[in-house]
Amino acid sequence: MSTSSKVVKMRRTLLGYLPLESPMHKFHPLIKTFFLLIVSAYPLLIDPPEWNLIGAIVMIIIFVIARVPLRILKYYTAIMLNIFWIIFIAYTFFGGYMPGYHVITKIGPIIISWENIMMVFVIYLRMFFAILVIIFFLSVARERDVIVGIRALKLPYVIAYTVGLAFRSIGLSIIDFNTIREAEKARALDIKALPLAQKIKKFGMYIVPLVALALRRTDEVSNALESRGFKFTGVRGYKRTDYIVSKYKFQAKDYVAVIVMISILTLILYLKYFTPYMSLHNSILLKILSRFFEVKT
Amino acid sequence: MSNKPIIKITNLWWKYEGRKNWALKNINLEIYPGEFIAIVGPNESGKTTLAMSMNGLIPNNYKGFMKGDVIVAGMDTKKYSTGDISKKVGFVFSDPESQFLTMTVEEEIAFGLENLGLPVEEIEKRIKWAMKITGLSEEFLEKPPYELSGGQKQRVAIAAVIAMKPEVLILDEPTSMLDPIGKTEVLNVLKELKRSYNATIIVIEHRLEDIAPLANRMILIYNGEILKDAPPKEFFDDIDFLLKHYVFPPEAMVYIDKLRKFGIYEGSIPLTFDESVKAVRESIRGITK
């Protein structure tokens, strides 16, 4: 029996691993930060749910083009479904009532109106698109990309470094948490097997040593920083070199990416504020749904 | 070696805030450029405190009471910040995990060099040089340092410090948290540093059998005081004195010392395994004559 398997080299990202052959590695790290900042603004500006649905579908296509393993989305399906149910229950049953709302039905004191159901779709599809943008960013960006992005924007180094240190602290806290958990398991405390109330009660057993370790780490990191010539004050009489940023050059494709993202943003702003296409009254999906609920709008 | 000490400690006393006892008591020490110094002693004897007083962490970053002077590469540690002293003194901590400040090996090595404001080309050169001297290949550059093995982590930590080309390099128990393979990797780096890096190296280390052959001088600290400061041969000459102060020389040394006490061997205490074999051969020859 013969098997042929191709070894795919991967690079670690904030959320997992991305193949080295992904086109996303060819972009300047700042583009990934721009992507998060600009594209995540799209769903905030778009009201008609079908537009956000199209945005979400485009995002999935981008996932495929960028070679981001789609199984990553599977991990977030439960979260997305939970968000839907929370929004659905909150708006449908507890969305409130205003004179002029189209009442569909009443359950005791609860009034179910078309306007609240409409908001479920508007808000959920807006969040769905935004969550995909965030998952995409976390799947293609590394900590280094974020830091290089901030440094390339010429923000004070202390900001970039604080962000970097935050990433580092998360990693250290996870290591410390695992060490504490193993140590407590070795002494017969395994909260996994306990009921929820007991879990919450015993959680302090983890938190106290974790805080103590975090305080010790603060001391160690501060010593390591000073020992390698770092000064938060910036008073050193010369400019700090930006070696890591100098390794990346903004190329034609990076400019094209920025132009495309900003152009789409401008178009959305134009359609939203200067045309009727982005209004909820013109939403095709909402028109279909209103017919389904037999609402005359 | 120059006649002018690169580190001069005069009547140094140090007490941590809230503690009753002095951590360091009347330390007088001169270290000369190019020397390889090994500092030994039991836990809580003041080794790390002494090391931290040499790079300015004490008194600048710790609260306490200090008497006396520490002059390092012409800088009084009371007048200069640790950041300023770091241009001359590199410090490698015992826990490789807690000294990493960035998310990739390349950034980690570049961090101190960026702080020094060196040109990009120089930083690139120094990264390559530090990687070579610590035996790290270029494939490590993109990796997160905390995903490496213990020995690799400590080698990255050493590379990050020596890239700054300090005149004095202090390593505080660099092998204490490593497995045997990691310890060997780091000791090989120390050998390479001694061979090719023209700096003063101060190592706090418990593995006497590995560090003794490298050292020019060995210093025993006990209860905050320097009890012995001598070249290795002389340092190990009184094994009972070392044992009394909880410094445990290698078994081979203790064995040869016993032969000496029995009058079977008359030479000096051997520092290496080969020297021990030679000493035993001489003893056997002496008996059989």
Side-chain angles (χ1 to χ4, degrees):
Chain A
M1 202 172 75
S2 70
T3 54
S4 66
S5 61
K6 193 185 155 203
V7 178
V8 181
K9 284 196 173 177
M10 310 286 264
R11 185 178 277 173
R12 210 181 63 79
T13 64
L14 288 163
L15 210 58
Y17 289 87
L18 186 67
L20 270 181
E21 60 200 22
S22 165
M24 289 311 293
H25 294 307
K26 294 191 178 85
F27 285 101
H28 191 284
L30 189 56
I31 293 301
K32 295 169 193 171
T33 310
F34 272 156
F35 184 88
L36 178 71
L37 297 176
I38 299 172
V39 180
S40 64
Y42 297 171
L44 302 178
L45 297 166
I46 297 170
D47 293 328
E50 67 270 22
W51 285 63
N52 278 320
L53 189 63
I54 293 167
I57 293 164
V58 171
M59 273 313 301
I60 290 170
I61 296 167
I62 293 173
F63 268 78
V64 175
I65 296 168
R67 312 264 167 92
V68 177
L70 285 178
R71 66 174 178 276
I72 267 185
L73 294 177
K74 222 169 75 182
Y75 305 137
Y76 296 93
T77 315
I79 295 173
M80 288 186 192
L81 277 173
N82 281 332
I83 290 173
F84 176 77
W85 286 119
I86 290 166
I87 293 172
F88 179 78
I89 293 165
Y91 275 89
T92 310
F93 299 105
F94 308 106
Y97 177 76
M98 296 275 279
Y101 273 18
H102 297 83
V103 179
I104 294 171
T105 187
K106 281 185 182 179
I107 307 167
I110 298 168
I111 300 167
I112 295 173
S113 67
W114 157 245
E115 278 72 15
N116 284 338
I117 289 178
M118 185 176 78
M119 286 314 286
V120 171
F121 288 94
V122 171
I123 290 173
Y124 181 70
L125 283 167
R126 188 178 266 177
M127 285 185 84
F128 184 60
F129 182 13
I131 288 170
L132 286 178
V133 173
I134 293 165
I135 293 174
F136 180 77
F137 170 75
L138 296 173
S139 305
V140 298
R142 296 182 296 160
E143 296 90 346
R144 178 171 172 151
D145 294 330
V146 180
I147 292 159
V148 170
I150 295 169
R151 284 166 77 172
L153 286 171
K154 302 283 175 205
L155 291 175
Y157 178 71
V158 71
I159 296 176
Y161 192 72
T162 308
V163 173
L165 215 52
F167 283 127
R168 180 86 192 94
S169 312
I170 294 167
L172 281 174
S173 298
I174 292 169
I175 293 168
D176 288 342
F177 183 77
N178 285 334
T179 309
I180 294 164
R181 197 171 57 180
E182 293 303 316
E184 301 206 336
K185 261 188 195 174
R187 277 173 282 165
L189 174 70
D190 186 5
I191 65 164
K192 227 177 180 180
L194 298 174
L196 184 67
Q198 283 291 311
K199 260 184 196 160
I200 295 165
K201 206 174 154 191
K202 301 273 185 208
F203 210 68
M205 308 279 267
Y206 290 104
I207 296 301
V208 173
L210 195 63
V211 170
L213 274 174
L215 289 174
R216 205 193 75 190
R217 294 277 193 204
T218 312
D219 218 24
E220 288 170 342
V221 169
S222 146
N223 282 348
L225 273 173
E226 288 253 13
S227 298
R228 280 205 267 147
F230 184 77
K231 286 179 180 177
F232 268 105
T233 55
V235 183
R236 60 168 73 82
Y238 55 85
K239 200 173 170 283
R240 190 179 190 279
T241 315
D242 240 339
Y243 170 74
I244 299 299
V245 175
S246 76
K247 300 211 67 167
Y248 300 94
K249 294 274 175 287
F250 230 71
Q251 293 169 321
K253 59 176 170 291
D254 298 312
Y255 287 107
V256 170
V258 173
I259 290 166
V260 169
M261 285 189 280
I262 291 176
S263 302
I264 295 172
L265 182 69
T266 314
L267 181 67
I268 292 170
L269 285 168
Y270 174 76
L271 292 173
K272 184 177 170 73
Y273 295 109
F274 298 102
T275 73
Y277 301 116
M278 283 270 184
S279 74
L280 287 176
H281 292 292
N282 288 322
S283 166
I284 300 160
L285 188 73
L286 292 178
K287 273 181 187 161
I288 296 167
L289 282 169
S290 65
R291 271 183 214 147
F292 178 78
F293 287 108
E294 294 172 351
V295 176
K296 284 182 187 167
T297 54
Chain B
M1 276 175 215
S2 161
N3 287 329
K4 205 177 163 201
I6 192 157
I7 297 175
K8 189 175 166 102
I9 301 175
T10 317
N11 304 323
L12 173 66
W13 292 72
W14 171 261
K15 182 156 67 174
Y16 288 101
E17 193 182 67
R19 298 275 182 93
K20 276 185 187 170
N21 300 325
W22 290 93
L24 294 176
K25 297 171 197 165
N26 198 27
I27 301 284
N28 286 286
L29 182 64
E30 285 186 358
I31 294 172
Y32 294 89
E35 275 193 303
F36 192 116
I37 307 284
I39 300 178
V40 300
N43 287 342
E44 300 289 312
S45 59
K47 305 186 296 294
T48 299
T49 306
L50 177 62
M52 289 198 297
S53 71
M54 288 192 248
N55 87 325
L57 279 172
I58 284 177
N60 295 310
N61 295 47
Y62 285 87
K63 285 183 180 173
F65 184 62
M66 181 177 169
K67 286 196 280 183
D69 297 303
V70 179
I71 311 291
V72 184
M75 289 186 281
D76 186 336
T77 58
K78 280 186 285 195
K79 292 177 187 156
Y80 287 84
S81 72
T82 310
D84 291 326
I85 298 168
S86 71
K87 290 173 197 161
K88 304 277 184 185
V89 183
F91 200 101
V92 178
F93 297 86
S94 56
D95 181 3
E97 196 72 59
S98 62
Q99 59 199 306
F100 293 138
L101 304 164
T102 62
M103 305 304 284
T104 64
V105 169
E106 186 176 26
E107 285 170 85
E108 192 61 32
I109 302 175
F111 182 81
L113 304 173
E114 288 180 313
N115 289 335
L116 292 179
L118 297 175
V120 168
E121 303 75 37
E122 179 65 18
I123 292 178
E124 214 154 276
K125 262 191 226 164
R126 290 214 192 174
I127 290 174
K128 279 185 185 159
W129 171 78
M131 298 278 285
K132 194 181 165 201
I133 215 164
T134 49
L136 295 163
S137 63
E138 286 199 13
E139 68 182 61
F140 284 98
L141 285 174
E142 289 273 310
K143 289 188 177 176
Y146 49 85
E147 280 186 6
L148 305 177
S149 73
Q152 288 165 346
K153 278 180 193 165
Q154 197 58 291
R155 283 190 283 151
V156 170
I158 295 172
V161 172
I162 62 165
M164 294 171 79
K165 295 204 171 168
E167 289 175 35
V168 179
L169 175 63
I170 302 171
L171 301 103
D172 181 15
E173 300 192 37
T175 67
S176 65
M177 301 181 102
L178 306 180
D179 62 10
I181 297 169
K183 282 181 205 283
T184 309
E185 285 173 8
V186 170
L187 284 161
N188 286 340
V189 172
L190 290 182
K191 282 176 197 162
E192 182 57 27
L193 285 174
K194 165 141 173 133
R195 194 187 66 81
S196 62
Y197 184 53
N198 187 28
T200 308
I201 300 173
I202 300 164
V203 186
I204 296 172
E205 182 58 63
H206 286 290
R207 281 171 52 118
L208 298 182
E209 68 271 38
D210 294 306
I211 210 71
L214 294 173
N216 299 109
R217 272 162 67 194
M218 297 197 61
I219 295 171
L220 165 64
I221 297 201
Y222 184 80
N223 210 10
E225 290 174 90
I226 293 181
L227 293 191
K228 198 164 189 175
D229 176 359
K233 289 263 177 197
E234 207 180 303
F235 186 84
F236 289 108
D237 210 41
D238 189 351
I239 296 280
D240 290 337
F241 178 80
L242 297 178
L243 290 171
K244 193 179 150 194
H245 294 97
Y246 304 99
V247 172
F248 300 99
E251 293 286 304
M253 282 189 192
V254 179
Y255 175 69
I256 302 292
D257 185 54
K258 290 238 162 93
L259 292 182
R260 211 160 59 161
K261 280 176 188 154
F262 292 141
I264 299 168
Y265 174 71
E266 286 173 350
S268 60
I269 292 287
L271 294 180
T272 62
F273 181 76
D274 290 340
E275 281 180 28
S276 302
V277 172
K278 203 175 150 195
V280 172
R281 272 198 188 136
E282 274 174 30
S283 311
I284 295 167
R285 259 190 230 125
I287 297 165
T288 52
K289 259 182 196 173

